[in-house]
Amino acid sequence: MFFFFAALLAVAPRVWAGPPPAALPPLRVRAVAPDVFVYTSYRRYPGVAAPVPANGLIVRTRQGAVLIDTPWDPEQTQQLLQWVADSLHQRVRLALVTHAHQDRVGGLAVLQARRIRVYSSPLTARRVRQLYPAAAPLTAALKPYTLIRAGRTRLELFFPGPAHAPDNIVAWLPRQKVLFGGCLVREQAATSLGNLDEANLTRWPAALRTVQARYPKARVVVPGHGQWGGTALLAHTDELLRGAARRKSPTALREPLP
Ligand SMILES: [Zn+2]
């Protein structure tokens, strides 16, 4: 019996690597506050059984929809623009990118082909130029603190310091009290800090405290991946950072994920 079990274990990874990857789950869009929608796109990674979800925001305004981050790839970005047209009867007038990783910029080409303005910080624009040389340049319009007004909608973009990535920013909708933390914030079910390839573990805790102090009234906190919640997600991310510091071997927490 034991041998049979051991043989199964030895064979399992090869079985997984063999067949072509299954189709991705359909793009999901869910309302989290009036005029604010979280969309979730998916990507498969070799050796990871479940597709990896990533969250972005769509905000309906009187001047058209604002998109925060693109889906993982062009196809899901097309689907998202179609959803905005079919369900909100609007067009995306402006897109904002919260850092230069694929789960944030994978659909840039689609936006640029439709002549949708894409704003980012100067650092993100520079990094996108280096990492994705084929992409059209982003408009480096976002300062460390930027307030965007579209009709009655207010949207604040804020750089709290390096954390998950050197250039990560967060987005805040003061009327709806929705905080888009992006990859700086982990979901409640997360037991690790995610991809640390470009993380700054020394400065992440301070960046997180800055976000906590600035947005204590957040009703909905949206992480870059997984289920959204309240400000408890910020406390949970803080716990994970403390755990990583205690272990002093954060690489043990690495995942081949975004
Ligand atoms: Zn990232």
Side-chain angles (χ1 to χ4, degrees):
M1 190 58 194
F2 171 77
F3 284 114
F4 178 62
F5 184 58
L8 261 185
L9 276 182
V11 162
R14 271 178 236 157
V15 170
W16 166 246
L24 290 170
L27 187 88
R28 293 185 75 179
V29 187
R30 284 157 291 179
V32 292
D35 298 323
V36 184
F37 305 84
V38 173
Y39 74 82
T40 304
S41 68
Y42 299 89
R43 182 182 171 184
R44 283 196 187 278
Y45 278 86
V48 181
V52 179
N55 297 326
L57 280 197
I58 299 159
V59 185
R60 175 167 47 195
T61 83
R62 285 194 183 162
Q63 295 176 6
V66 177
L67 175 64
I68 299 177
D69 288 331
T70 83
W72 282 109
D73 59 43
E75 200 179 325
Q76 292 177 96
T77 305
Q78 294 275 18
Q79 290 168 13
L80 182 62
L81 297 185
Q82 198 58 49
W83 181 88
V84 172
D86 294 345
S87 303
L88 303 185
H89 309 292
Q90 287 196 328
R91 295 173 61 170
V92 173
R93 300 299 297 273
L94 174 67
L96 306 158
V97 165
T98 62
H99 65 276
H101 283 167
Q102 196 186 338
D103 52 341
R104 312 288 129 200
V105 299
L108 270 187
V110 172
L111 304 185
Q112 290 167 336
R114 298 204 188 184
R115 302 192 181 282
I116 295 169
R117 282 174 299 161
V118 186
Y119 285 4
S120 75
S121 70
L123 179 55
T124 299
R126 211 160 48 237
R127 283 164 44 76
V128 165
R129 210 158 50 231
Q130 288 161 359
L131 298 168
Y132 308 92
L138 304 186
T139 304
L142 303 182
K143 302 191 170 59
Y145 167 79
T146 301
L147 187 65
I148 291 176
R149 291 163 189 243
R152 296 179 62 223
T153 307
R154 305 272 182 283
L155 176 60
E156 176 179 315
L157 290 314
F158 177 62
F159 174 63
H164 158 79
D167 53 333
N168 48 207
I169 61 171
V170 299
W172 167 242
L173 288 144
R175 279 181 192 274
Q176 295 93 338
K177 299 191 169 40
V178 175
L179 174 66
F180 182 76
C183 298
L184 190 128
V185 178
R186 301 292 287 164
E187 69 168 323
Q188 197 67 43
T191 54
S192 83
L193 290 163
N195 181 357
L196 299 178
D197 281 353
E198 294 198 295
N200 188 327
L201 285 165
T202 314
R203 295 183 64 184
W204 192 338
L208 187 71
R209 278 195 293 279
T210 303
V211 171
Q212 279 176 311
R214 193 174 178 92
Y215 307 111
K217 293 190 177 141
R219 270 194 216 134
V220 180
V221 177
V222 183
H225 306 274
Q227 185 59 51
W228 49 93
T231 51
L233 267 59
L234 303 175
H236 177 62
T237 306
D238 191 41
E239 271 302 305
L240 292 172
L241 285 163
R242 283 171 205 267
R246 271 197 302 275
R247 272 190 290 275
K248 288 200 173 136
S249 59
T251 46
L253 291 170
R254 267 169 93 126
E255 292 170 0
L257 303 179

Coordinates of all heavy atoms in Angstrom, one line a residue, residues 99-104 164-165 183 195 225 258, ligand 1:
H99 N 1.3 49.0 -10.9 CA 2.8 48.7 -11.0 C 3.1 47.9 -12.3 O 2.1 47.4 -12.9 CB 3.3 48.1 -9.7 CG 2.8 46.7 -9.4 ND1 1.6 46.5 -8.7 CD2 3.3 45.5 -9.6 CE1 1.4 45.2 -8.6 NE2 2.4 44.5 -9.1
A100 N 4.4 47.7 -12.6 CA 4.7 47.2 -13.9 C 4.9 45.7 -13.8 O 6.0 45.1 -14.1 CB 6.0 47.8 -14.3
H101 N 3.9 44.9 -13.4 CA 3.9 43.5 -13.5 C 2.8 43.0 -14.4 O 1.8 43.8 -14.6 CB 3.7 42.8 -12.1 CG 4.9 42.9 -11.2 ND1 4.9 42.6 -9.9 CD2 6.2 43.2 -11.5 CE1 6.1 42.8 -9.4 NE2 6.9 43.1 -10.4
Q102 N 2.9 41.8 -14.9 CA 2.0 41.3 -16.0 C 0.5 41.3 -15.5 O -0.4 41.5 -16.4 CB 2.4 39.9 -16.5 CG 1.7 39.7 -17.8 CD 1.9 38.2 -18.3 OE1 2.9 37.6 -17.9 NE2 1.0 37.8 -19.1
D103 N 0.3 41.1 -14.2 CA -1.1 41.0 -13.8 C -1.7 42.4 -13.7 O -2.9 42.6 -13.5 CB -1.2 40.4 -12.4 CG -0.3 41.0 -11.4 OD1 0.7 41.6 -11.8 OD2 -0.5 40.8 -10.2
R104 N -0.9 43.4 -14.0 CA -1.4 44.9 -14.1 C -1.4 45.5 -15.5 O -2.1 46.4 -15.8 CB -0.5 45.7 -13.1 CG -0.3 45.1 -11.8 CD -1.5 45.2 -10.9 NE -1.8 43.9 -10.3 CZ -3.0 43.5 -9.9 NH1 -4.0 44.4 -9.9 NH2 -3.2 42.4 -9.3
H164 N 5.5 45.5 -2.3 CA 5.5 44.3 -3.2 C 6.4 44.6 -4.4 O 7.1 43.7 -4.9 CB 4.1 44.0 -3.6 CG 4.0 43.3 -4.9 ND1 4.1 41.9 -4.9 CD2 3.7 43.7 -6.2 CE1 4.0 41.5 -6.2 NE2 3.7 42.5 -6.9
A165 N 6.4 45.8 -4.9 CA 7.2 46.2 -6.0 C 7.8 47.6 -5.7 O 7.2 48.4 -4.9 CB 6.4 46.2 -7.3
C183 N -1.2 44.6 -5.1 CA -0.4 43.5 -4.6 C 0.3 43.9 -3.3 O 1.0 43.0 -2.7 CB 0.6 43.1 -5.6 SG -0.2 42.4 -7.1
N195 N 4.7 36.8 -4.7 CA 6.0 36.9 -5.4 C 6.8 38.0 -4.8 O 6.4 39.1 -4.8 CB 5.6 37.2 -6.9 CG 6.9 37.3 -7.7 OD1 8.0 37.2 -7.2 ND2 6.7 37.5 -9.0
H225 N -4.9 39.9 -5.4 CA -5.3 38.5 -5.7 C -6.2 38.0 -4.6 O -5.9 38.2 -3.5 CB -4.1 37.6 -5.8 CG -3.0 38.2 -6.8 ND1 -3.1 37.9 -8.1 CD2 -2.0 39.0 -6.6 CE1 -2.1 38.5 -8.7 NE2 -1.4 39.2 -7.8
P258 N 2.4 35.9 -9.1 CA 2.5 37.4 -9.3 C 2.7 38.1 -8.0 O 2.1 37.7 -7.0 CB 1.2 37.8 -10.0 CG 0.3 36.8 -9.6 CD 1.0 35.5 -9.5
Ligands
ZN1 ZN 3.2 42.5 -8.9

